[in-house]
Amino acid sequence: MVTGELVLTQDGPLATLVITNPAKRNAMTAAMWAALPGLLEVLAKDRANRVLIVAGAGGTFCAGADITEAAAIARAGDESLAVAAERALAEFPKPTIARIDGFCVGGGCQLAVACDLRVAGASARFGVTPAKLGIVYPPATTRRLAALIGPAKAKLLLYTGELFEASEALDFGLIDRLVPDDLLSAAVDDLAATIAARSRLTLRAAKAVLGDLPVPAQDEAELAEGIAAFQERRAPNWA
């Protein structure tokens, strides 16, 4: 019996990856962590896709890793399944947006932090909770969190393990936009559509520079199209 799955759909240039395990508030099972890098690898090669939205099913983003499978999730040589999945998401070459409603806790917060942008509904709740379970958070995960919100705020989240509201997450810099719950999907779709209309090469280069990854070379044809579209006052026809 499938206890959880990652559901990937495509709508024009936008792909949506939905974390689906409603019986456990979309907790990530070992199989789900293991499946994520492969899904992202296939999607990265799909030229129709320009932006990836990561969301949770049924009003909850993700309540973390499935605690009943903690040993399996952690057991993978020098790198856990969760760390490998998080890295694959962080290094995905196209822009990623976390659409956050409900609980975004533990491993769910890991996934959100690994995205490029995070938009949350007003009733979302956040938490980084390893201290409540005696779990040593992976160094890469801890450093990525600290790089986003700063060491002091990261320590506050890690030391207390407490849940906090979306308004606090915005103040911390953990999320980029906060919108009413009923406008969340539309706000993320509008943001994703705006990004999808921009130069694929520029987006990839910006993500590479900011993520300390190899930067693609300038494409003269794309540059020429961008300049021509600007001069002709039309939308560019990106390759």
Side-chain angles (χ1 to χ4, degrees):
M1 181 179 69
V2 176
T3 57
E5 59 182 342
L6 301 174
V7 179
L8 183 63
T9 61
Q10 182 84 29
D11 182 10
L14 309 182
T16 303
L17 181 72
V18 181
I19 304 165
T20 307
N21 190 4
K24 296 188 175 183
R25 288 181 174 174
N26 296 333
M28 291 280 290
T29 65
M32 293 164 73
W33 287 114
L36 184 55
L39 287 174
L40 295 176
E41 184 178 2
V42 172
L43 187 62
K45 298 174 183 176
D46 182 356
R47 287 192 60 79
N49 171 249
R50 290 180 177 268
V51 180
L52 172 63
I53 298 167
V54 180
T60 291
F61 184 72
C62 176
D66 187 337
I67 198 64
T68 65
E69 297 187 19
I73 292 168
R75 191 190 310 116
D78 294 331
E79 182 174 70
S80 74
L81 293 175
V83 169
E86 181 186 353
R87 188 186 70 246
L89 181 57
E91 295 182 359
F92 184 70
K94 305 172 188 183
T96 55
I97 305 171
R99 187 181 74 206
I100 305 168
D101 52 359
F103 289 96
C104 178
V105 179
C109 212
Q110 281 181 251
L111 292 173
V113 169
C115 290
D116 296 316
L117 299 170
R118 288 150 294 281
V119 181
S123 65
R125 296 293 181 270
F126 299 80
V128 182
T129 55
K132 291 184 174 182
L133 301 169
I135 294 172
V136 176
Y137 239 28
T141 297
T142 303
R143 292 182 187 122
R144 186 171 288 113
L145 176 65
L148 179 65
I149 65 174
K153 288 294 190 295
K155 288 175 183 177
L156 179 63
L157 270 58
L158 285 161
Y159 288 0
T160 66
E162 298 295 338
L163 297 184
F164 54 98
E165 297 182 356
S167 58
E168 293 177 276
L170 183 64
D171 290 341
F172 286 177
L174 184 60
I175 60 174
D176 303 292
R177 291 185 180 176
L178 177 60
V179 300
D181 290 335
D182 60 344
L183 299 180
L184 178 59
S185 290
V188 172
D189 287 348
D190 287 348
L191 176 60
T194 297
I195 295 172
R198 305 310 183 216
S199 163
R200 186 196 311 266
L201 178 65
T202 301
L203 296 174
R204 183 169 184 174
K207 181 162 184 172
V209 170
L210 295 171
D212 198 23
L213 301 169
V215 180
Q218 177 67 59
D219 185 315
E220 295 301 326
E222 187 139 334
L223 175 61
E225 170 60 16
I227 293 173
F230 178 80
Q231 292 174 334
E232 297 165 13
R233 298 183 179 181
R234 60 173 173 83
N237 181 22
W238 304 118

